[in-house]
Amino acid sequence: MALLAAPALIGASPAEQLAVGSAGAPPKGQGQTEVVVFSDFQCPARAQAAPVLSRLANEGSIQLVYRYFALSSIHANATMAAEAAQAAALQGQFWEYHDPLFARQAEWSGMREQQASAVFQQIAINLGLDATQWGADRVSPGVAAAVTSDRRAGEQLNLLGTPTIFIGGTRHEGSLDRASLLNAIESATSR
């Protein structure tokens, strides 16, 4: 997977850079408009937007790309959650893990690391993942590198918060409700 610092991408526009996609999470949906979301699994605003974006991807309106942008300075479990999701991605279950991780955010968000880790493991078990492999992958250098790579990509784009959404390569500044996102998608499609 190419990184944003790859020589071929130096000087590329944000839209060209974002076309690279995530370091590890597969895209969701077959729509012609790519929606790239830099997000933090512990971000309450992203938890509200997650179901809307997932529905749009499932309907075929967009191709959704998730990028890890853990704000660990304010969200103590964010990096660990990203690594848990990336470990699930290695077993082909990123989106299946993504959804319950956001759905259970209120539960694990305020927990201590060990307690949150147990919730993350329970999600993996509930999905039928190989829990031993998932646990080893979650703490592996490769998983940490994928999460860090996405974080650095966001920093290169001067992102300050989450969720930051790019629709067709353009930063979405509007509301995260379905109507606003659909309007932005339609605008991107007509460009």
mmCIF file with all atom_site columns, all heavy atoms in Angstrom, residues 128-153:
data_model
loop_
_atom_site.group_PDB
_atom_site.id
_atom_site.type_symbol
_atom_site.label_atom_id
_atom_site.label_alt_id
_atom_site.label_comp_id
_atom_site.label_asym_id
_atom_site.label_entity_id
_atom_site.label_seq_id
_atom_site.pdbx_PDB_ins_code
_atom_site.Cartn_x
_atom_site.Cartn_y
_atom_site.Cartn_z
_atom_site.occupancy
_atom_site.B_iso_or_equiv
_atom_site.pdbx_formal_charge
_atom_site.auth_seq_id
_atom_site.auth_comp_id
_atom_site.auth_asym_id
_atom_site.auth_atom_id
_atom_site.pdbx_PDB_model_num
ATOM 1   N N   . GLY A 1 128 ? -16.911 -14.081 15.790 1.00 0.00 ? 128 GLY A N   1
ATOM 2   C CA  . GLY A 1 128 ? -16.348 -15.358 15.373 1.00 0.00 ? 128 GLY A CA  1
ATOM 3   C C   . GLY A 1 128 ? -14.925 -15.260 14.855 1.00 0.00 ? 128 GLY A C   1
ATOM 4   O O   . GLY A 1 128 ? -14.453 -16.155 14.136 1.00 0.00 ? 128 GLY A O   1
ATOM 5   N N   . LEU A 1 129 ? -14.240 -14.177 15.203 1.00 0.00 ? 129 LEU A N   1
ATOM 6   C CA  . LEU A 1 129 ? -12.843 -14.052 14.796 1.00 0.00 ? 129 LEU A CA  1
ATOM 7   C C   . LEU A 1 129 ? -11.985 -15.060 15.545 1.00 0.00 ? 129 LEU A C   1
ATOM 8   O O   . LEU A 1 129 ? -12.359 -15.504 16.645 1.00 0.00 ? 129 LEU A O   1
ATOM 9   C CB  . LEU A 1 129 ? -12.322 -12.637 15.090 1.00 0.00 ? 129 LEU A CB  1
ATOM 10  C CG  . LEU A 1 129 ? -13.005 -11.489 14.352 1.00 0.00 ? 129 LEU A CG  1
ATOM 11  C CD1 . LEU A 1 129 ? -12.417 -10.155 14.796 1.00 0.00 ? 129 LEU A CD1 1
ATOM 12  C CD2 . LEU A 1 129 ? -12.870 -11.652 12.851 1.00 0.00 ? 129 LEU A CD2 1
ATOM 13  N N   . ASP A 1 130 ? -10.855 -15.403 14.993 1.00 0.00 ? 130 ASP A N   1
ATOM 14  C CA  . ASP A 1 130 ? -9.868  -16.207 15.709 1.00 0.00 ? 130 ASP A CA  1
ATOM 15  C C   . ASP A 1 130 ? -9.305  -15.292 16.787 1.00 0.00 ? 130 ASP A C   1
ATOM 16  O O   . ASP A 1 130 ? -8.471  -14.424 16.510 1.00 0.00 ? 130 ASP A O   1
ATOM 17  C CB  . ASP A 1 130 ? -8.784  -16.677 14.744 1.00 0.00 ? 130 ASP A CB  1
ATOM 18  C CG  . ASP A 1 130 ? -7.684  -17.477 15.415 1.00 0.00 ? 130 ASP A CG  1
ATOM 19  O OD1 . ASP A 1 130 ? -7.410  -17.257 16.621 1.00 0.00 ? 130 ASP A OD1 1
ATOM 20  O OD2 . ASP A 1 130 ? -7.060  -18.289 14.718 1.00 0.00 ? 130 ASP A OD2 1
ATOM 21  N N   . ALA A 1 131 ? -9.794  -15.432 18.003 1.00 0.00 ? 131 ALA A N   1
ATOM 22  C CA  . ALA A 1 131 ? -9.464  -14.503 19.085 1.00 0.00 ? 131 ALA A CA  1
ATOM 23  C C   . ALA A 1 131 ? -7.983  -14.506 19.432 1.00 0.00 ? 131 ALA A C   1
ATOM 24  O O   . ALA A 1 131 ? -7.418  -13.456 19.757 1.00 0.00 ? 131 ALA A O   1
ATOM 25  C CB  . ALA A 1 131 ? -10.298 -14.817 20.322 1.00 0.00 ? 131 ALA A CB  1
ATOM 26  N N   . THR A 1 132 ? -7.343  -15.657 19.343 1.00 0.00 ? 132 THR A N   1
ATOM 27  C CA  . THR A 1 132 ? -5.903  -15.722 19.638 1.00 0.00 ? 132 THR A CA  1
ATOM 28  C C   . THR A 1 132 ? -5.122  -14.935 18.600 1.00 0.00 ? 132 THR A C   1
ATOM 29  O O   . THR A 1 132 ? -4.247  -14.128 18.942 1.00 0.00 ? 132 THR A O   1
ATOM 30  C CB  . THR A 1 132 ? -5.429  -17.188 19.686 1.00 0.00 ? 132 THR A CB  1
ATOM 31  O OG1 . THR A 1 132 ? -6.196  -17.885 20.678 1.00 0.00 ? 132 THR A OG1 1
ATOM 32  C CG2 . THR A 1 132 ? -3.950  -17.272 20.014 1.00 0.00 ? 132 THR A CG2 1
ATOM 33  N N   . GLN A 1 133 ? -5.454  -15.137 17.335 1.00 0.00 ? 133 GLN A N   1
ATOM 34  C CA  . GLN A 1 133 ? -4.771  -14.396 16.262 1.00 0.00 ? 133 GLN A CA  1
ATOM 35  C C   . GLN A 1 133 ? -5.085  -12.909 16.347 1.00 0.00 ? 133 GLN A C   1
ATOM 36  O O   . GLN A 1 133 ? -4.209  -12.062 16.193 1.00 0.00 ? 133 GLN A O   1
ATOM 37  C CB  . GLN A 1 133 ? -5.174  -14.944 14.884 1.00 0.00 ? 133 GLN A CB  1
ATOM 38  C CG  . GLN A 1 133 ? -4.423  -14.309 13.735 1.00 0.00 ? 133 GLN A CG  1
ATOM 39  C CD  . GLN A 1 133 ? -2.934  -14.606 13.806 1.00 0.00 ? 133 GLN A CD  1
ATOM 40  O OE1 . GLN A 1 133 ? -2.535  -15.755 13.921 1.00 0.00 ? 133 GLN A OE1 1
ATOM 41  N NE2 . GLN A 1 133 ? -2.116  -13.572 13.737 1.00 0.00 ? 133 GLN A NE2 1
ATOM 42  N N   . TRP A 1 134 ? -6.347  -12.590 16.593 1.00 0.00 ? 134 TRP A N   1
ATOM 43  C CA  . TRP A 1 134 ? -6.748  -11.190 16.726 1.00 0.00 ? 134 TRP A CA  1
ATOM 44  C C   . TRP A 1 134 ? -5.963  -10.516 17.850 1.00 0.00 ? 134 TRP A C   1
ATOM 45  O O   . TRP A 1 134 ? -5.459  -9.414  17.696 1.00 0.00 ? 134 TRP A O   1
ATOM 46  C CB  . TRP A 1 134 ? -8.257  -11.101 16.983 1.00 0.00 ? 134 TRP A CB  1
ATOM 47  C CG  . TRP A 1 134 ? -8.732  -9.729  17.275 1.00 0.00 ? 134 TRP A CG  1
ATOM 48  C CD1 . TRP A 1 134 ? -9.111  -8.778  16.362 1.00 0.00 ? 134 TRP A CD1 1
ATOM 49  C CD2 . TRP A 1 134 ? -8.873  -9.134  18.569 1.00 0.00 ? 134 TRP A CD2 1
ATOM 50  N NE1 . TRP A 1 134 ? -9.478  -7.629  17.022 1.00 0.00 ? 134 TRP A NE1 1
ATOM 51  C CE2 . TRP A 1 134 ? -9.334  -7.818  18.372 1.00 0.00 ? 134 TRP A CE2 1
ATOM 52  C CE3 . TRP A 1 134 ? -8.653  -9.577  19.859 1.00 0.00 ? 134 TRP A CE3 1
ATOM 53  C CZ2 . TRP A 1 134 ? -9.579  -6.951  19.428 1.00 0.00 ? 134 TRP A CZ2 1
ATOM 54  C CZ3 . TRP A 1 134 ? -8.890  -8.719  20.918 1.00 0.00 ? 134 TRP A CZ3 1
ATOM 55  C CH2 . TRP A 1 134 ? -9.358  -7.411  20.686 1.00 0.00 ? 134 TRP A CH2 1
ATOM 56  N N   . GLY A 1 135 ? -5.841  -11.183 18.997 1.00 0.00 ? 135 GLY A N   1
ATOM 57  C CA  . GLY A 1 135 ? -5.114  -10.623 20.126 1.00 0.00 ? 135 GLY A CA  1
ATOM 58  C C   . GLY A 1 135 ? -3.649  -10.385 19.807 1.00 0.00 ? 135 GLY A C   1
ATOM 59  O O   . GLY A 1 135 ? -3.079  -9.349  20.183 1.00 0.00 ? 135 GLY A O   1
ATOM 60  N N   . ALA A 1 136 ? -3.023  -11.329 19.111 1.00 0.00 ? 136 ALA A N   1
ATOM 61  C CA  . ALA A 1 136 ? -1.617  -11.163 18.715 1.00 0.00 ? 136 ALA A CA  1
ATOM 62  C C   . ALA A 1 136 ? -1.472  -10.034 17.696 1.00 0.00 ? 136 ALA A C   1
ATOM 63  O O   . ALA A 1 136 ? -0.548  -9.211  17.786 1.00 0.00 ? 136 ALA A O   1
ATOM 64  C CB  . ALA A 1 136 ? -1.075  -12.474 18.155 1.00 0.00 ? 136 ALA A CB  1
ATOM 65  N N   . ASP A 1 137 ? -2.395  -9.982  16.739 1.00 0.00 ? 137 ASP A N   1
ATOM 66  C CA  . ASP A 1 137 ? -2.330  -8.929  15.713 1.00 0.00 ? 137 ASP A CA  1
ATOM 67  C C   . ASP A 1 137 ? -2.548  -7.549  16.321 1.00 0.00 ? 137 ASP A C   1
ATOM 68  O O   . ASP A 1 137 ? -1.904  -6.577  15.922 1.00 0.00 ? 137 ASP A O   1
ATOM 69  C CB  . ASP A 1 137 ? -3.378  -9.171  14.619 1.00 0.00 ? 137 ASP A CB  1
ATOM 70  C CG  . ASP A 1 137 ? -3.038  -10.349 13.722 1.00 0.00 ? 137 ASP A CG  1
ATOM 71  O OD1 . ASP A 1 137 ? -1.857  -10.740 13.659 1.00 0.00 ? 137 ASP A OD1 1
ATOM 72  O OD2 . ASP A 1 137 ? -3.976  -10.886 13.094 1.00 0.00 ? 137 ASP A OD2 1
ATOM 73  N N   . ARG A 1 138 ? -3.448  -7.457  17.273 1.00 0.00 ? 138 ARG A N   1
ATOM 74  C CA  . ARG A 1 138 ? -3.791  -6.163  17.871 1.00 0.00 ? 138 ARG A CA  1
ATOM 75  C C   . ARG A 1 138 ? -2.582  -5.460  18.463 1.00 0.00 ? 138 ARG A C   1
ATOM 76  O O   . ARG A 1 138 ? -2.507  -4.233  18.437 1.00 0.00 ? 138 ARG A O   1
ATOM 77  C CB  . ARG A 1 138 ? -4.863  -6.352  18.941 1.00 0.00 ? 138 ARG A CB  1
ATOM 78  C CG  . ARG A 1 138 ? -5.437  -5.053  19.478 1.00 0.00 ? 138 ARG A CG  1
ATOM 79  C CD  . ARG A 1 138 ? -6.560  -5.336  20.457 1.00 0.00 ? 138 ARG A CD  1
ATOM 80  N NE  . ARG A 1 138 ? -6.057  -5.945  21.654 1.00 0.00 ? 138 ARG A NE  1
ATOM 81  C CZ  . ARG A 1 138 ? -5.924  -5.306  22.815 1.00 0.00 ? 138 ARG A CZ  1
ATOM 82  N NH1 . ARG A 1 138 ? -6.263  -4.049  22.925 1.00 0.00 ? 138 ARG A NH1 1
ATOM 83  N NH2 . ARG A 1 138 ? -5.460  -5.931  23.869 1.00 0.00 ? 138 ARG A NH2 1
ATOM 84  N N   . VAL A 1 139 ? -1.634  -6.200  18.968 1.00 0.00 ? 139 VAL A N   1
ATOM 85  C CA  . VAL A 1 139 ? -0.448  -5.602  19.585 1.00 0.00 ? 139 VAL A CA  1
ATOM 86  C C   . VAL A 1 139 ? 0.792   -5.723  18.698 1.00 0.00 ? 139 VAL A C   1
ATOM 87  O O   . VAL A 1 139 ? 1.907   -5.462  19.147 1.00 0.00 ? 139 VAL A O   1
ATOM 88  C CB  . VAL A 1 139 ? -0.179  -6.213  20.987 1.00 0.00 ? 139 VAL A CB  1
ATOM 89  C CG1 . VAL A 1 139 ? -1.333  -5.890  21.931 1.00 0.00 ? 139 VAL A CG1 1
ATOM 90  C CG2 . VAL A 1 139 ? 0.058   -7.717  20.904 1.00 0.00 ? 139 VAL A CG2 1
ATOM 91  N N   . SER A 1 140 ? 0.602   -6.078  17.436 1.00 0.00 ? 140 SER A N   1
ATOM 92  C CA  . SER A 1 140 ? 1.740   -6.283  16.534 1.00 0.00 ? 140 SER A CA  1
ATOM 93  C C   . SER A 1 140 ? 2.253   -4.970  15.953 1.00 0.00 ? 140 SER A C   1
ATOM 94  O O   . SER A 1 140 ? 1.504   -3.997  15.823 1.00 0.00 ? 140 SER A O   1
ATOM 95  C CB  . SER A 1 140 ? 1.337   -7.219  15.392 1.00 0.00 ? 140 SER A CB  1
ATOM 96  O OG  . SER A 1 140 ? 0.459   -6.544  14.496 1.00 0.00 ? 140 SER A OG  1
ATOM 97  N N   . PRO A 1 141 ? 3.517   -4.941  15.577 1.00 0.00 ? 141 PRO A N   1
ATOM 98  C CA  . PRO A 1 141 ? 4.079   -3.742  14.935 1.00 0.00 ? 141 PRO A CA  1
ATOM 99  C C   . PRO A 1 141 ? 3.380   -3.393  13.612 1.00 0.00 ? 141 PRO A C   1
ATOM 100 O O   . PRO A 1 141 ? 3.223   -2.223  13.295 1.00 0.00 ? 141 PRO A O   1
ATOM 101 C CB  . PRO A 1 141 ? 5.546   -4.115  14.694 1.00 0.00 ? 141 PRO A CB  1
ATOM 102 C CG  . PRO A 1 141 ? 5.844   -5.208  15.664 1.00 0.00 ? 141 PRO A CG  1
ATOM 103 C CD  . PRO A 1 141 ? 4.546   -5.956  15.837 1.00 0.00 ? 141 PRO A CD  1
ATOM 104 N N   . GLY A 1 142 ? 2.931   -4.394  12.870 1.00 0.00 ? 142 GLY A N   1
ATOM 105 C CA  . GLY A 1 142 ? 2.254   -4.125  11.597 1.00 0.00 ? 142 GLY A CA  1
ATOM 106 C C   . GLY A 1 142 ? 0.941   -3.386  11.777 1.00 0.00 ? 142 GLY A C   1
ATOM 107 O O   . GLY A 1 142 ? 0.622   -2.461  11.025 1.00 0.00 ? 142 GLY A O   1
ATOM 108 N N   . VAL A 1 143 ? 0.171   -3.789  12.780 1.00 0.00 ? 143 VAL A N   1
ATOM 109 C CA  . VAL A 1 143 ? -1.094  -3.113  13.069 1.00 0.00 ? 143 VAL A CA  1
ATOM 110 C C   . VAL A 1 143 ? -0.824  -1.693  13.560 1.00 0.00 ? 143 VAL A C   1
ATOM 111 O O   . VAL A 1 143 ? -1.472  -0.740  13.122 1.00 0.00 ? 143 VAL A O   1
ATOM 112 C CB  . VAL A 1 143 ? -1.931  -3.938  14.075 1.00 0.00 ? 143 VAL A CB  1
ATOM 113 C CG1 . VAL A 1 143 ? -3.025  -3.096  14.720 1.00 0.00 ? 143 VAL A CG1 1
ATOM 114 C CG2 . VAL A 1 143 ? -2.550  -5.131  13.365 1.00 0.00 ? 143 VAL A CG2 1
ATOM 115 N N   . ALA A 1 144 ? 0.137   -1.536  14.438 1.00 0.00 ? 144 ALA A N   1
ATOM 116 C CA  . ALA A 1 144 ? 0.491   -0.196  14.928 1.00 0.00 ? 144 ALA A CA  1
ATOM 117 C C   . ALA A 1 144 ? 0.940   0.694   13.771 1.00 0.00 ? 144 ALA A C   1
ATOM 118 O O   . ALA A 1 144 ? 0.572   1.873   13.703 1.00 0.00 ? 144 ALA A O   1
ATOM 119 C CB  . ALA A 1 144 ? 1.581   -0.289  15.987 1.00 0.00 ? 144 ALA A CB  1
ATOM 120 N N   . ALA A 1 145 ? 1.687   0.127   12.835 1.00 0.00 ? 145 ALA A N   1
ATOM 121 C CA  . ALA A 1 145 ? 2.171   0.904   11.683 1.00 0.00 ? 145 ALA A CA  1
ATOM 122 C C   . ALA A 1 145 ? 1.011   1.360   10.791 1.00 0.00 ? 145 ALA A C   1
ATOM 123 O O   . ALA A 1 145 ? 1.020   2.486   10.282 1.00 0.00 ? 145 ALA A O   1
ATOM 124 C CB  . ALA A 1 145 ? 3.173   0.082   10.874 1.00 0.00 ? 145 ALA A CB  1
ATOM 125 N N   . ALA A 1 146 ? 0.017   0.496   10.591 1.00 0.00 ? 146 ALA A N   1
ATOM 126 C CA  . ALA A 1 146 ? -1.137  0.869   9.765  1.00 0.00 ? 146 ALA A CA  1
ATOM 127 C C   . ALA A 1 146 ? -1.908  2.030   10.403 1.00 0.00 ? 146 ALA A C   1
ATOM 128 O O   . ALA A 1 146 ? -2.298  2.986   9.722  1.00 0.00 ? 146 ALA A O   1
ATOM 129 C CB  . ALA A 1 146 ? -2.059  -0.332  9.556  1.00 0.00 ? 146 ALA A CB  1
ATOM 130 N N   . VAL A 1 147 ? -2.114  1.941   11.713 1.00 0.00 ? 147 VAL A N   1
ATOM 131 C CA  . VAL A 1 147 ? -2.834  2.999   12.438 1.00 0.00 ? 147 VAL A CA  1
ATOM 132 C C   . VAL A 1 147 ? -2.023  4.296   12.405 1.00 0.00 ? 147 VAL A C   1
ATOM 133 O O   . VAL A 1 147 ? -2.567  5.381   12.149 1.00 0.00 ? 147 VAL A O   1
ATOM 134 C CB  . VAL A 1 147 ? -3.148  2.548   13.875 1.00 0.00 ? 147 VAL A CB  1
ATOM 135 C CG1 . VAL A 1 147 ? -3.695  3.691   14.713 1.00 0.00 ? 147 VAL A CG1 1
ATOM 136 C CG2 . VAL A 1 147 ? -4.143  1.381   13.858 1.00 0.00 ? 147 VAL A CG2 1
ATOM 137 N N   . THR A 1 148 ? -0.729  4.200   12.615 1.00 0.00 ? 148 THR A N   1
ATOM 138 C CA  . THR A 1 148 ? 0.148   5.377   12.598 1.00 0.00 ? 148 THR A CA  1
ATOM 139 C C   . THR A 1 148 ? 0.219   5.987   11.208 1.00 0.00 ? 148 THR A C   1
ATOM 140 O O   . THR A 1 148 ? 0.237   7.216   11.063 1.00 0.00 ? 148 THR A O   1
ATOM 141 C CB  . THR A 1 148 ? 1.556   4.998   13.087 1.00 0.00 ? 148 THR A CB  1
ATOM 142 O OG1 . THR A 1 148 ? 1.447   4.511   14.432 1.00 0.00 ? 148 THR A OG1 1
ATOM 143 C CG2 . THR A 1 148 ? 2.499   6.181   13.059 1.00 0.00 ? 148 THR A CG2 1
ATOM 144 N N   . SER A 1 149 ? 0.228   5.157   10.183 1.00 0.00 ? 149 SER A N   1
ATOM 145 C CA  . SER A 1 149 ? 0.280   5.650   8.808  1.00 0.00 ? 149 SER A CA  1
ATOM 146 C C   . SER A 1 149 ? -0.926  6.531   8.490  1.00 0.00 ? 149 SER A C   1
ATOM 147 O O   . SER A 1 149 ? -0.794  7.606   7.896  1.00 0.00 ? 149 SER A O   1
ATOM 148 C CB  . SER A 1 149 ? 0.342   4.469   7.831  1.00 0.00 ? 149 SER A CB  1
ATOM 149 O OG  . SER A 1 149 ? 0.243   4.896   6.506  1.00 0.00 ? 149 SER A OG  1
ATOM 150 N N   . ASP A 1 150 ? -2.110  6.076   8.888  1.00 0.00 ? 150 ASP A N   1
ATOM 151 C CA  . ASP A 1 150 ? -3.309  6.877   8.663  1.00 0.00 ? 150 ASP A CA  1
ATOM 152 C C   . ASP A 1 150 ? -3.245  8.176   9.462  1.00 0.00 ? 150 ASP A C   1
ATOM 153 O O   . ASP A 1 150 ? -3.618  9.242   8.966  1.00 0.00 ? 150 ASP A O   1
ATOM 154 C CB  . ASP A 1 150 ? -4.565  6.091   9.049  1.00 0.00 ? 150 ASP A CB  1
ATOM 155 C CG  . ASP A 1 150 ? -5.070  5.189   7.934  1.00 0.00 ? 150 ASP A CG  1
ATOM 156 O OD1 . ASP A 1 150 ? -4.419  5.101   6.882  1.00 0.00 ? 150 ASP A OD1 1
ATOM 157 O OD2 . ASP A 1 150 ? -6.126  4.566   8.135  1.00 0.00 ? 150 ASP A OD2 1
ATOM 158 N N   . ARG A 1 151 ? -2.770  8.091   10.680 1.00 0.00 ? 151 ARG A N   1
ATOM 159 C CA  . ARG A 1 151 ? -2.653  9.293   11.526 1.00 0.00 ? 151 ARG A CA  1
ATOM 160 C C   . ARG A 1 151 ? -1.737  10.321  10.852 1.00 0.00 ? 151 ARG A C   1
ATOM 161 O O   . ARG A 1 151 ? -2.056  11.502  10.785 1.00 0.00 ? 151 ARG A O   1
ATOM 162 C CB  . ARG A 1 151 ? -2.128  8.900   12.915 1.00 0.00 ? 151 ARG A CB  1
ATOM 163 C CG  . ARG A 1 151 ? -1.801  10.053  13.826 1.00 0.00 ? 151 ARG A CG  1
ATOM 164 C CD  . ARG A 1 151 ? -3.054  10.775  14.253 1.00 0.00 ? 151 ARG A CD  1
ATOM 165 N NE  . ARG A 1 151 ? -2.703  12.016  14.911 1.00 0.00 ? 151 ARG A NE  1
ATOM 166 C CZ  . ARG A 1 151 ? -3.470  12.653  15.742 1.00 0.00 ? 151 ARG A CZ  1
ATOM 167 N NH1 . ARG A 1 151 ? -4.654  12.178  16.039 1.00 0.00 ? 151 ARG A NH1 1
ATOM 168 N NH2 . ARG A 1 151 ? -3.105  13.776  16.278 1.00 0.00 ? 151 ARG A NH2 1
ATOM 169 N N   . ARG A 1 152 ? -0.608  9.855   10.341 1.00 0.00 ? 152 ARG A N   1
ATOM 170 C CA  . ARG A 1 152 ? 0.334   10.761  9.670  1.00 0.00 ? 152 ARG A CA  1
ATOM 171 C C   . ARG A 1 152 ? -0.277  11.358  8.407  1.00 0.00 ? 152 ARG A C   1
ATOM 172 O O   . ARG A 1 152 ? -0.045  12.521  8.092  1.00 0.00 ? 152 ARG A O   1
ATOM 173 C CB  . ARG A 1 152 ? 1.632   10.031  9.357  1.00 0.00 ? 152 ARG A CB  1
ATOM 174 C CG  . ARG A 1 152 ? 2.459   9.801   10.592 1.00 0.00 ? 152 ARG A CG  1
ATOM 175 C CD  . ARG A 1 152 ? 3.824   9.260   10.266 1.00 0.00 ? 152 ARG A CD  1
ATOM 176 N NE  . ARG A 1 152 ? 4.550   9.016   11.494 1.00 0.00 ? 152 ARG A NE  1
ATOM 177 C CZ  . ARG A 1 152 ? 5.261   7.929   11.738 1.00 0.00 ? 152 ARG A CZ  1
ATOM 178 N NH1 . ARG A 1 152 ? 5.350   6.984   10.811 1.00 0.00 ? 152 ARG A NH1 1
ATOM 179 N NH2 . ARG A 1 152 ? 5.889   7.777   12.881 1.00 0.00 ? 152 ARG A NH2 1
ATOM 180 N N   . ALA A 1 153 ? -1.050  10.571  7.689  1.00 0.00 ? 153 ALA A N   1
ATOM 181 C CA  . ALA A 1 153 ? -1.725  11.085  6.495  1.00 0.00 ? 153 ALA A CA  1
ATOM 182 C C   . ALA A 1 153 ? -2.659  12.224  6.869  1.00 0.00 ? 153 ALA A C   1
ATOM 183 O O   . ALA A 1 153 ? -2.702  13.253  6.202  1.00 0.00 ? 153 ALA A O   1
ATOM 184 C CB  . ALA A 1 153 ? -2.496  9.964   5.800  1.00 0.00 ? 153 ALA A CB  1
#
